[in-house]
Amino acid sequence: MPETKPRALIVHGGLELHQPRQGAEKVADMLTMSGMDVTVRDDANLLVAPDVAQMALVVPVITGGTMRRDKVAPLLDALRNGTGMAGYHHCMSTTFRDLPQFRYAAGCTWVAHPGNIMRYRVRVTCPNDPIMAGIKDFDHLSEQYYMHFDPAVKVLAETTFSGEHHPWRTNVTMRVTFKTHYGAGRIFFTTLGHAADELDLVNVRRMLHRGLLWSAGMSGEKLGKVP
């Protein structure tokens, strides 16, 4: 009997500026390449459906959106019991902004991007972590996200705000990429990926692809096979 593939649910929606459908398709390609059974939909209610606990991974590629507090329990229970969740840029950091329970699980909230599209430096802080293996510090052209983070996260990459656009935030060091847990669930996030084509940049793609697999419960050996 063939081995059952781990399942992933990708849900897209919200602001079209972030190209949610195209980004979801790129995420789906990464996960399919790594042997997962992937479902891509545009219905946020699937994230809180009773069968969400059957997923190894959920990826909410949603800018904004709303969810009633009394409906989110199946997702939070699934995360506490081992379903992973991963996101990038707008995914997770802006999803269901008015839902404190989801914000707690996500570990981060977007608040600003001073200067909009600009060039900034990304510094790798954990080069020995399997998600970051072989990735060196690099320059990136995109929105430099200013975030509110859970202090419990493990920081994998960071950046520094120059203060050119908001002088009162000069030399602030900000997390770019992190991982953490919500119960038994593995949570991964990176601020990179404003538009879908950013996910094709080699450092962004490797970081996100490995983070997705880590959140899905896969081993370091599997992460090491990401091209």
Side-chain angles (χ1 to χ4, degrees):
M1 181 177 295
E3 183 179 354
T4 302
K5 294 182 178 180
R7 298 175 62 191
L9 172 64
I10 305 169
V11 178
H12 61 85
L15 187 66
E16 285 298 323
L17 173 68
H18 286 141
Q19 301 176 316
R21 178 183 58 79
Q22 297 92 325
E25 289 171 351
K26 290 183 180 293
V27 170
D29 288 345
M30 296 178 195
L31 296 176
T32 300
M33 179 192 308
S34 295
M36 297 193 71
D37 179 4
V38 182
T39 299
V40 181
R41 296 288 187 271
D42 62 358
D43 181 2
N45 288 310
L46 294 178
L47 288 169
V48 296
D51 63 351
V52 71
Q54 298 176 16
M55 302 295 166
L57 175 67
V58 294
V59 185
V61 188
I62 302 171
T63 301
T66 59
M67 183 63 64
R68 284 170 32 192
R69 294 190 183 194
D70 61 351
K71 291 185 64 177
V72 75
L75 173 59
L76 299 179
D77 289 344
L79 296 177
R80 278 192 290 266
N81 288 310
T83 294
M85 183 166 68
Y88 64 91
H89 201 66
H90 56 289
C91 317
M92 282 175 40
S93 71
T94 71
T95 306
F96 310 147
R97 285 177 63 91
D98 295 331
L99 193 61
Q101 301 98 315
F102 184 83
R103 302 262 48 83
Y104 180 41
C108 64
T109 301
W110 168 82
V111 292
H113 45 71
N116 297 314
I117 301 297
M118 57 185 293
R119 188 169 298 279
Y120 58 94
R121 188 73 170 169
V122 176
R123 299 186 302 275
V124 175
T125 56
C126 288
N128 295 325
D129 189 283
I131 293 174
M132 307 304 293
I135 300 176
K136 308 296 184 183
D137 297 355
F138 60 95
D139 290 328
H140 191 63
L141 181 65
S142 186
E143 293 174 336
Q144 188 181 30
Y145 261 19
Y146 199 99
M147 305 282 291
H148 288 173
F149 280 99
D150 186 331
V153 304
K154 178 179 180 180
V155 183
L156 303 178
E158 65 185 16
T159 188
T160 299
F161 280 77
S162 69
E164 176 184 358
H165 302 284
H166 288 177
W168 56 93
R169 292 293 182 262
T170 300
N171 293 329
V172 170
T173 297
M174 182 59 56
R175 299 158 174 84
V176 169
T177 304
F178 76 79
K179 65 180 184 180
T180 188
H181 287 80
Y182 182 79
R186 296 180 174 187
I187 311 296
F188 169 85
F189 177 79
T190 182
T191 64
L192 309 177
H194 170 65
D197 60 1
E198 276 188 41
L199 304 185
D200 294 327
L201 299 173
V202 61
N203 287 326
V204 179
R205 177 179 52 79
R206 284 178 179 165
M207 199 183 303
L208 178 59
H209 193 164
R210 292 169 179 170
L212 291 162
L213 298 185
W214 177 82
S215 292
M218 295 193 184
S219 66
E221 180 181 359
K222 190 76 171 180
L223 272 60
K225 295 180 180 179
V226 170

